[in-house]
Amino acid sequence: MKLHDFNFEGQNGESYQIEFALDHLAALQRNAARVTCLGIYKENPTADPIEITFTMEIAQMDGGQGETLDIFVEDRLIASIPLDDHDRIERFLEAEQEQTSPFDKDPWEILTEGMDAEAVLDTVDGIPLGDPMACLIKAGIVSTAAQFLTCRESLDLSLGLAKKTRALLTCLGQNMATIAIKTALRTLRCVAMLG
């Protein structure tokens, strides 16, 4: 389901149409939020589009002692946040709420603490970080993760993992307009600051 599309100018004057879409089938089959970002070069609509997917899912920690929010880009794990790490989650959500300029604390840095997420994004399909697609991926992950964690706060945590994840995905679906707007604003800010 297409959530939103954007038009961007690249660093070298090229123009893109970018789509941001949620995969409902993956949500039902894997209990995961799977988002696809599709970039089309407007000057050459017959060229192959750039397509990148990121996925968020709740997983049991080894030994069953708690849960993590795992974030994948193209099936590569870039962050695994223990959901009992309340300090990190609180810092991330505060930074995500307060970020109004590129000079504010970057929620991306908090989200990916301890992981070489910049290097992962830099190597996905060879997209440089200044490219609108890389900006879109970062913005989409931050906005989706923030909504995911906000939705989790309203859940009955005694539910089993599958029911809890389905409830999270339902809440995420109800807030997709907010995610799309925040993603668009963050992407524009990132492109303006060249990454």
Side-chain angles (χ1 to χ4, degrees):
M1 173 178 131
K2 184 164 82 169
L3 302 173
H4 204 45
D5 56 22
F6 315 89
N7 290 304
F8 288 106
E9 295 298 317
Q11 293 175 343
N12 299 315
E14 69 278 18
S15 58
Y16 301 84
Q17 177 183 336
I18 297 178
E19 295 182 5
F20 185 60
L22 179 66
D23 182 345
H24 284 291
L25 188 58
L28 293 173
Q29 290 177 339
R30 291 185 55 196
N31 285 333
R34 188 177 186 99
V35 177
T36 299
C37 302
L38 186 70
I40 300 163
Y41 293 102
K42 290 173 77 175
E43 287 88 0
N44 186 2
T46 60
D48 289 338
I50 299 169
E51 182 173 310
I52 301 176
T53 300
F54 67 84
T55 306
M56 293 186 192
E57 61 189 350
I58 294 180
Q60 289 288 153
M61 291 175 79
D62 290 338
Q65 301 297 314
E67 297 165 348
T68 58
L69 174 61
D70 292 346
I71 303 171
F72 300 86
V73 173
E74 294 294 305
D75 297 322
R76 281 186 249 176
L77 183 69
I78 64 159
S80 185
I81 303 169
L83 292 174
D84 61 358
D85 187 348
H86 303 293
D87 176 58
R88 179 176 174 187
I89 291 170
E90 188 176 310
R91 285 185 295 119
F92 166 68
L93 290 174
E94 282 177 10
E96 189 271 340
Q97 288 287 326
E98 294 171 4
Q99 189 182 37
T100 55
S101 85
F103 306 106
D104 292 337
K105 187 162 189 169
D106 188 356
W108 176 257
E109 300 301 324
I110 299 167
L111 191 67
T112 57
E113 276 177 8
M115 312 230 29
D116 193 4
E118 293 288 340
V120 172
L121 281 179
D122 201 27
T123 59
V124 171
D125 290 346
I127 295 172
L129 283 175
D131 187 285
M133 286 296 287
C135 285
L136 177 67
I137 292 292
K138 285 177 67 174
I141 288 173
V142 167
S143 300
T144 306
Q147 189 61 58
F148 206 99
L149 292 167
T150 300
C151 285
R152 186 176 179 274
E153 290 177 357
S154 64
L155 285 184
D156 175 0
L157 296 180
S158 67
L159 294 172
L161 183 61
K163 286 184 179 177
K164 197 176 347 185
T165 306
R166 277 200 163 67
L168 276 170
L169 292 170
T170 299
C171 177
L172 206 58
Q174 292 168 344
N175 289 283
M176 274 302 164
T178 302
I179 294 169
I181 290 166
K182 286 186 174 184
T183 298
L185 292 173
R186 280 198 173 90
T187 304
L188 288 168
R189 218 168 25 233
C190 174
V191 170
M193 296 300 293
L194 303 178

